Amino acid sequence: MLMDSDVCGKRYEGRETNEAMESLLIKISQVKKQIEAARVASIKEKCRKNVMNVDLTTSQLCELSKSIKNIHLEDQTGSRNMLSFRIENPLFQHSGYAHGSGEKDSINNQEASPSSIIKLPYVEKIPPYTTWVYLDKNRRMPDDQSVVGRRQIYYDQSGGEALISSDSEEEITEPEEAKHEFSEGEDQMLRTILQEHGLTEEVLDVLSQYIRATSSAIKERYTNLCEKSRKDSRGNLGIDVETDLESALESVDNLFCRRCLVFDCRLHGYNQNIVTPYEKQPQFNEVGENGKPCSDQCYLWSRKQVFEELTPSKIGSKSIPSVSCSDKRINGNSLETAIPKASAGAANESTPTGPSNESSVMPNEKVLKHKGEFEGALSGCEWRPLERDLYLKGIEIFGKSSCLIARNLLSGLKTCMEVYTYMFKGGDSMVQSCAAFPNSRLEDNGTDDNNHTELEIPSRSRLFRKRGRARKLKYTWKSSGHPSIRKRIADGVQKAAKIGFGDATVPRASVEAGSAHALQPTVNVIQMFAGIVGLGEPPARGDGYQCGNMNLLLKQRKKILLAKSNVAGWGAFIKNPVNKNDYLGEYTGEIIGHKEADKRGKIYDRANSSFLFDLDEKCVLDAYRKGDKLKFANHSPAPNCFAKVMMVAGDHRVGIFAKERIEPGEELFYDYFYSPDQAPPWAWKPEWSKREDSSVPHGRACKHQSH
Amino acid sequence: MAKITLGCEPVIGSLILSTSNKKDYRITNRLQEGKRPLYAVVFNFVDSRYFNVFATAGGHRVTVYQCLEGGVIAVLQSYVDEDKDESFYTLTWACNAEGNPLLVAGGLNGIIRVIDTSTEKIHKSFVGHGDSVNEVRTHPLKPSLVVSASKDESLRLWNVDTGVCILIFAGAYGHRNEVLSVDFHPSDIYKIASCGMDNTVKIWSMEEFWTYVEKSFTWADLPSKFPTKYVQFPIMLASIHSNYVDCNRWLGDFILSKSVDNEIVLWEPKPKEGTPME
């Protein structure tokens, strides 16, 4: 075998390894043969079964067709079946060849006599139409829909065949090493070989030659397989507790879209800027909400004695926790004494006092007695990365309240008591920095990445609303032209103007006016802000002022009808009358990059039907497969509508507006705005000068310009 | 060729020309129809009375013949489309409610003609496809149902009896290029397999919409008022070939599919994935 000679060519140290190698190779080839043989056998078996199946079904079909015949044999009267009639009297007959002479020259020409030809009446064709999916907002193209790299064969009118590859020879992209999918047979081989020979480098090398995957991939796969056979340990949370919070929340961070408030946002894609919500750190005291122990494992049981011992009257005050806290640290072990007593007894007020007295009376003895236990309890408590992270989050959210943290975040994983001990034992360093953190945040205005990097905890870019009032998001249906909103905007503008637009603050007003999203990329917001309102107060146009952006946001489109166009193919028609500057609808489609658009454009231009629309420097809208009825609106140099790219809630969208008053039933046209060198013949404007070369330009749309 | 992993190898068969045995089939006749190419020849499998009747489609003409003893071919009927630019690509025999044989033809115009051969008249014309029709097939168990595959990337299920378009198989997960061929499953009344220029073979199921199919048989109103449904999601998608797949047929539970790169694959579609077999 080839493999053998290859491998033997390599040098191995020591005879033992050589022999081991050989046996390994033999073993591998054996396994391989076994698998192949099994495969062939299974295929044969399947084919055999299938053949039986086919026999069965064809006989069924045969029966069915016979039954039809029988139906007819029964009722002879009435139906005059022309076909049967013809069978009796055929129009023409061609005699066949004599036996044996297969290749005769004479070919019987079939030309039926004109009288007996039956004409099929003319039916008008409909213009070309491809099934499309309705989108009410733009959608990013999923990666598997790309046209890049696909070759298309085109047939000329003359009947010749032309193979035109869409991507041509400009770029030969290296096919990436696709992730090797391990099949059943390979798994089997892996298992048997690796179990026998162990997981060594050499074994992996040899295997990788057979299986054609990298040895690291094989190794990984093997470990996966082993794990699968063992039972995983899963926490109550349903996530693997061995990971840490970061990776567990990865899916949330990556897949949640803050602008659309959905997971797997179709519009914005993945990997958006991670933003942490700013929550003012409430100064929670450690007693928790109401001083009641949260469970029988609550640290409060231990606390209670210390508590009442020292200052029974000052329940709930802030100072106490710190006092008792420090006390606790000093008398760390007295805590332990209380625990068994408290859990033994029922939860009533009287019992704590008893043991507390006891403990105060003889702390030393108990201390010694329970010290071991205490330490045992602490050390026995193992904090895994996930739990650590959850704990940190809990500190951020709840402050130093172990009850709340344990109940909400670590339920099932750690008890309140354990959290508390952790908090004051090792968690101290982290707690301190956490405590410091919110303070620093308070002081910073308009913090962004720069400031955060200094802190230990990994920084995340964020915006926050400066004004305390702006905690709640206010959704208003009133457009930004409305007087009450305008005033707020004006205020906001002034304040923002003070700070200057170079800052990363988001004035609260703009949050209200245009969109309901609090957390937005700053640049866009400012643009939008400027776009909607302008720097300064919004123009006081009175209440009749229509905000174009609000129309798009609220999707207040008009009813559009689809019918055969007077001009070309299909056209869009308006159902009800509209006035000048009325918003008609949005041109939605798939969002693709320019490169992809160029490739698609080539195909579309061939068919002389392109639905590409330039959106901005980075994106193009393609309404070929997904879009809105407005994609059928044709081009005209004297249009009755116009298209406008607007920035709405941080996204570029295309709105179609009426240029003049339009009556119901009229076809909609707008100017595609082709540049002279990219316009298809039907869009040539008379004012363009004559060009020397009359080559067919690639008219990619308006709409989009090809390169 | 799809990446072949160990244990999943197809058994490669070879086309063996058996020269040993005598010719079982002999040419007995040759016919030529004008100058235009003949794109389809179909025998009538629906009705066993006409087992030796076949029809051909070429240019804008459809002709019906019969094979008789001694290699004689009889011309029975001939139909011509008034639109001279029409070119019929595909034919199939179907059957209406009374059991009369119907001939269904589709072609370049995208209009599907249903010809009633028992009355020698056109029964229905289906307008709906946005582009030319590449293939038309009849349902083996319900011969009034006909599915058509078209250049406009969709498949449509029609009822030739009442003239309604029942289902359209296209949309978000439909074919992304011309659909070249389609076939019904021989025994499972719900399954349809289609293949096209997007290199995929898709298997669709009509099960969810079967009530609409039933309704179509008794639809008495205008065909345009029928609530035609869109089936956007096939039950399976197989990228077995790496080039255009221009024909697929069911063979029992397996599918035989042929692609432009000289490959015929017999494979079994499993509910989760298909495994190429031969």
Side-chain angles (χ1 to χ4, degrees):
Chain A
M1 286 189 287
L2 282 168
M3 284 304 181
D4 269 348
S5 50
D6 278 345
V7 172
C8 286
K10 290 186 192 166
R11 271 195 245 145
Y12 292 100
E13 299 131 21
R15 297 216 80 194
E16 301 86 33
T17 34
N18 247 347
E19 280 167 10
M21 262 306 127
E22 280 175 24
S23 67
L24 173 66
L25 290 170
I26 294 171
K27 182 71 187 176
I28 290 180
S29 53
Q30 268 177 0
V31 172
K32 187 168 181 197
K33 272 194 198 150
Q34 269 172 10
I35 296 176
E36 282 172 2
R39 175 79 183 159
V40 173
S42 75
I43 291 179
K44 287 215 171 103
E45 177 61 26
K46 281 191 183 170
C47 283
R48 197 182 56 81
K49 274 194 204 152
N50 196 38
V51 166
M52 283 179 7
N53 206 0
V54 171
D55 281 342
L56 192 65
T57 46
T58 40
S59 57
Q60 274 176 359
L61 293 175
C62 201
E63 287 302 318
L64 187 65
S65 63
K66 281 192 190 143
S67 69
I68 296 179
K69 170 180 177 177
N70 293 337
I71 293 174
H72 279 267
L73 285 176
E74 279 154 24
D75 77 328
Q76 291 285 4
T77 59
S79 59
R80 199 170 162 256
N81 194 327
M82 285 299 287
L83 196 59
S84 310
F85 175 71
R86 287 286 176 210
I87 287 178
E88 314 297 319
N89 327 325
L91 291 171
F92 201 76
Q93 276 194 356
H94 300 281
S95 53
Y97 297 145
H99 285 260
S101 58
E103 315 291 321
K104 254 210 180 153
D105 281 355
S106 69
I107 303 163
N108 290 321
N109 264 318
Q110 156 58 12
E111 296 288 349
S113 52
S115 58
S116 54
I117 294 179
I118 299 144
K119 285 217 187 323
L120 302 170
Y122 179 73
V123 177
E124 207 175 308
K125 291 197 286 192
I126 56 175
Y129 176 87
T130 306
T131 306
W132 51 279
V133 175
Y134 173 71
L135 279 188
D136 64 346
K137 53 181 169 197
N138 296 333
R139 187 187 281 204
R140 199 167 278 244
M141 170 193 75
D143 287 331
D144 60 345
Q145 301 238 1
S146 170
V147 193
V148 175
R150 294 216 191 140
R151 320 193 88 210
Q152 304 263 2
I153 301 178
Y154 294 99
Y155 294 90
D156 287 345
Q157 294 287 41
S158 54
E161 220 181 85
L163 178 76
I164 299 170
S165 58
S166 319
D167 57 354
S168 75
E169 290 84 23
E170 313 157 351
E171 27 180 307
I172 306 166
T173 48
E174 286 277 326
E176 283 173 27
E177 188 64 37
K179 195 160 166 218
H180 188 94
E181 302 238 350
F182 286 86
S183 62
E184 284 281 332
E186 290 181 350
D187 283 348
Q188 204 182 334
M189 177 186 254
L190 282 181
R191 270 197 215 103
T192 47
I193 303 270
L194 287 171
Q195 266 166 16
E196 279 195 28
H197 293 266
L199 197 70
T200 60
E201 277 305 313
E202 292 156 353
V203 177
L204 284 174
D205 271 338
V206 175
L207 271 178
S208 62
Q209 285 171 18
Y210 272 89
I211 300 186
R212 266 172 273 138
T214 60
S215 48
S216 55
I218 295 180
K219 193 170 182 178
E220 210 183 295
R221 177 69 179 179
Y222 183 63
T223 42
N224 277 349
L225 287 174
C226 294
E227 269 179 31
K228 266 191 209 160
S229 51
R230 293 197 290 250
K231 297 247 170 73
D232 263 1
S233 70
R234 288 183 176 265
N236 297 347
L237 301 174
I239 44 173
D240 200 358
V241 200
E242 299 303 318
T243 59
D244 61 354
L245 190 66
E246 286 266 339
S247 48
L249 280 186
E250 203 183 300
S251 64
V252 176
D253 282 338
N254 283 345
L255 299 178
F256 189 71
C257 171
R258 290 187 181 270
R259 285 154 75 179
C260 306
L261 301 177
V262 287
F263 281 99
D264 277 338
C265 174
R266 297 287 180 107
L267 176 53
H268 299 115
Y270 306 143
N271 294 322
Q272 310 199 1
N273 287 332
I274 300 174
V275 179
T276 47
Y278 169 61
E279 295 278 345
K280 218 162 156 179
Q281 291 294 323
Q283 295 298 322
F284 271 121
N285 50 27
E286 284 149 348
V287 182
E289 288 160 0
N290 44 15
K292 286 205 201 116
C294 60
S295 63
D296 57 355
Q297 294 285 340
C298 184
Y299 73 99
L300 276 175
W301 288 119
S302 65
R303 177 61 62 71
K304 275 223 155 74
Q305 304 75 11
V306 182
F307 212 63
E308 287 173 0
E309 191 176 292
L310 298 171
T311 45
S313 57
K314 287 195 202 160
I315 295 172
S317 67
K318 274 194 191 169
S319 53
I320 293 190
S322 45
V323 169
S324 51
C325 190
S326 53
D327 267 355
K328 186 180 170 245
R329 260 179 262 152
I330 296 166
N331 315 335
N333 302 327
S334 67
L335 175 75
E336 189 58 342
T337 63
I339 303 173
K341 299 280 165 65
S343 47
N348 47 16
E349 300 295 322
S350 52
T351 44
T353 50
S356 72
N357 291 333
E358 259 185 278
S359 66
S360 62
V361 164
M362 36 182 190
N364 297 327
E365 289 176 28
K366 295 273 166 86
V367 161
L368 292 168
K369 185 171 154 191
H370 294 283
K371 189 170 183 177
E373 271 185 36
F374 183 54
E375 283 177 7
L378 265 186
S379 55
C381 190
E382 185 198 303
W383 282 72
R384 284 165 283 195
L386 175 69
E387 293 165 346
R388 261 185 245 274
D389 287 334
L390 282 173
Y391 168 74
L392 285 175
K393 272 271 174 240
I395 295 287
E396 269 183 54
I397 301 174
F398 297 116
K400 287 193 187 170
S401 165
S402 63
C403 287
L404 289 174
I405 296 176
R407 199 189 325 156
N408 293 326
L409 288 173
L410 289 169
S411 60
L413 290 173
K414 287 278 174 290
T415 62
C416 179
M417 176 61 62
E418 289 170 330
V419 175
Y420 192 78
T421 50
Y422 184 78
M423 209 189 293
F424 291 102
K425 176 199 152 227
D428 252 353
S429 53
M430 285 194 249
V431 170
Q432 293 303 336
S433 58
C434 267
F437 195 46
N439 293 330
S440 65
R441 281 200 199 190
L442 269 176
E443 276 138 29
D444 283 56
N445 291 337
T447 15
D448 46 13
D449 293 0
N450 314 331
N451 295 336
H452 284 203
T453 45
E454 295 157 23
L455 296 169
E456 278 177 15
I457 295 168
S459 63
R460 292 155 171 195
S461 70
R462 45 186 300 282
L463 326 165
F464 64 85
R465 289 153 285 174
K466 223 179 59 166
R467 286 159 264 275
R469 274 185 304 154
R471 188 150 308 280
K472 272 195 270 189
L473 291 169
K474 290 215 188 122
Y475 294 64
T476 172
W477 50 268
K478 298 180 194 156
S479 84
S480 60
H482 196 278
S484 59
I485 306 294
R486 244 187 281 139
K487 183 162 181 309
R488 275 190 242 164
I489 294 176
D491 289 344
V493 171
Q494 281 157 19
K495 285 180 188 154
K498 251 198 300 184
I499 299 163
F501 278 107
D503 238 287
T505 33
V506 178
R508 160 200 179 212
S510 66
V511 169
E512 279 182 341
S515 78
H517 308 289
L519 308 158
Q520 287 181 8
T522 2
V523 172
N524 283 340
V525 168
I526 292 177
Q527 267 186 27
M528 172 192 81
F529 186 79
I532 296 176
V533 170
L535 293 172
E537 271 201 38
R541 288 195 220 172
D543 283 359
Y545 172 58
Q546 288 228 15
C547 169
N549 288 39
M550 281 316 286
N551 282 331
L552 264 164
L553 249 191
L554 299 174
K555 300 192 182 117
Q556 297 163 343
R557 59 171 185 269
K558 306 276 182 296
K559 182 83 179 153
I560 308 274
L561 303 171
L562 181 62
K564 255 198 258 188
S565 165
N566 308 320
V567 172
W570 297 99
F573 296 77
I574 193 92
K575 185 168 176 182
N576 302 313
V578 287
N579 298 317
K580 183 170 176 178
N581 286 332
D582 264 2
Y583 170 68
L584 299 176
E586 184 188 347
Y587 187 103
T588 59
E590 272 178 300
I591 297 183
I592 54 181
H594 274 263
K595 202 167 91 164
E596 173 74 18
D598 284 345
K599 301 242 156 47
R600 289 197 188 186
K602 281 194 198 137
I603 304 172
Y604 298 156
D605 289 341
R606 274 200 164 265
N608 201 23
S609 157
S610 174
F611 293 106
L612 295 168
F613 201 117
D614 251 345
L615 197 56
D616 54 24
E617 309 85 40
K618 275 191 287 176
C619 301
V620 177
L621 277 180
D622 183 11
Y624 178 64
R625 268 177 217 295
K626 300 183 177 147
D628 183 83
K629 268 194 215 159
L630 281 169
K631 65 187 219 173
F632 290 111
N634 286 309
H635 167 77
S636 158
N640 51 9
C641 308
F642 62 96
K644 189 164 160 191
V645 179
M646 327 187 51
M647 170 68 83
V648 179
D651 299 317
H652 281 117
R653 285 156 77 159
V654 181
I656 309 277
F657 300 87
K659 204 165 158 188
E660 58 200 18
R661 187 180 161 79
I662 310 181
E663 298 300 322
E666 273 191 39
E667 187 170 354
L668 302 175
F669 296 100
Y670 58 94
D671 192 337
Y672 283 7
F673 287 118
Y674 282 118
S675 64
D677 55 334
Q678 274 117 21
W682 41 266
W684 285 348
K685 291 198 173 143
E687 64 259 17
W688 294 340
S689 53
K690 283 200 186 128
R691 299 142 7 127
E692 268 101 47
D693 57 327
S694 53
S695 57
V696 179
H698 289 294
R700 214 130 2 114
C702 93
K703 276 188 150 216
H704 170 80
Q705 283 136 27
S706 68
H707 304 291
Chain B
M1 190 69 153
K3 214 166 166 203
I4 304 169
T5 55
L6 175 67
C8 276
E9 288 135 2
V11 174
I12 299 178
S14 52
L15 298 165
I16 300 170
L17 298 164
S18 56
T19 47
S20 53
N21 46 351
K22 299 263 183 353
K23 289 185 198 159
D24 293 337
Y25 297 98
R26 253 186 316 258
I27 299 181
T28 52
N29 207 333
R30 273 169 79 172
L31 287 179
Q32 181 172 329
E33 266 192 32
K35 296 272 186 295
R36 290 190 216 92
L38 279 181
Y39 283 122
V41 176
V42 212
F43 271 90
N44 190 337
F45 292 121
V46 177
D47 195 331
S48 61
R49 284 178 291 173
Y50 305 118
F51 68 95
N52 55 0
V53 170
F54 68 94
T56 63
H60 61 117
R61 176 199 300 260
V62 171
T63 326
V64 183
Y65 301 88
Q66 185 181 23
C67 301
L68 298 171
E69 293 295 315
V72 183
I73 305 239
V75 180
L76 301 179
Q77 292 167 354
S78 176
Y79 303 93
V80 163
D81 196 322
E82 272 185 359
D83 182 0
K84 295 260 182 295
D85 295 329
E86 166 75 298
S87 173
F88 284 112
Y89 290 157
T90 173
L91 276 187
T92 184
W93 288 92
C95 189
N96 70 359
E98 292 98 42
N100 291 332
L102 303 173
L103 189 55
V104 183
L108 182 59
N109 283 350
I111 304 171
I112 297 174
R113 302 283 197 173
V114 180
I115 305 166
D116 190 340
T117 48
S118 59
T119 58
E120 288 191 346
K121 275 200 266 201
I122 186 139
H123 177 52
K124 293 257 185 287
S125 293
F126 294 142
V127 180
H129 272 297
D131 220 328
S132 54
V133 174
N134 287 328
E135 186 154 31
V136 193
R137 298 283 289 167
T138 316
H139 199 300
L141 299 167
K142 297 215 178 279
S144 298
L145 296 178
V146 149
V147 70
S148 56
S150 160
K151 192 168 165 197
D152 71 353
E153 305 174 8
S154 72
L155 293 167
R156 285 181 187 234
L157 180 70
W158 310 86
N159 183 322
V160 292
D161 222 4
T162 50
V164 304
C165 177
I166 308 164
L167 296 174
I168 302 180
F169 299 87
Y173 284 88
H175 281 280
R176 286 194 216 120
N177 209 329
E178 291 189 38
V179 190
L180 295 173
S181 170
V182 64
D183 194 24
F184 281 105
H185 193 284
S187 51
D188 183 346
I189 45 173
Y190 302 124
K191 284 220 205 103
I192 298 178
S194 64
C195 64
M197 276 166 65
D198 57 352
N199 307 349
T200 58
V201 179
K202 291 190 203 276
I203 301 180
W204 309 81
S205 169
M206 301 188 274
E207 198 158 354
E208 301 173 52
F209 298 96
W210 195 252
T211 48
Y212 290 96
V213 178
E214 302 278 328
K215 224 198 270 187
S216 71
F217 285 100
T218 53
W219 189 256
D221 209 347
L222 273 185
S224 52
K225 294 217 178 119
F226 186 86
T228 305
K229 288 289 169 204
Y230 277 83
V231 182
Q232 296 205 30
F233 303 100
I235 55 174
M236 210 195 105
L237 152 58
S239 333
I240 308 246
H241 296 278
S242 44
N243 213 325
Y244 298 164
V245 190
D246 53 14
C247 184
N248 67 347
R249 291 282 181 265
W250 287 96
L251 182 67
D253 273 325
F254 301 165
I255 296 185
L256 257 178
S257 57
K258 170 200 165 299
S259 129
V260 175
D261 49 12
N262 302 327
E263 201 175 63
I264 302 182
V265 178
L266 173 71
W267 53 279
E268 176 186 7
K270 283 204 193 119
K272 280 277 180 162
E273 16 127 1
T275 49
M277 298 190 58
E278 179 162 34

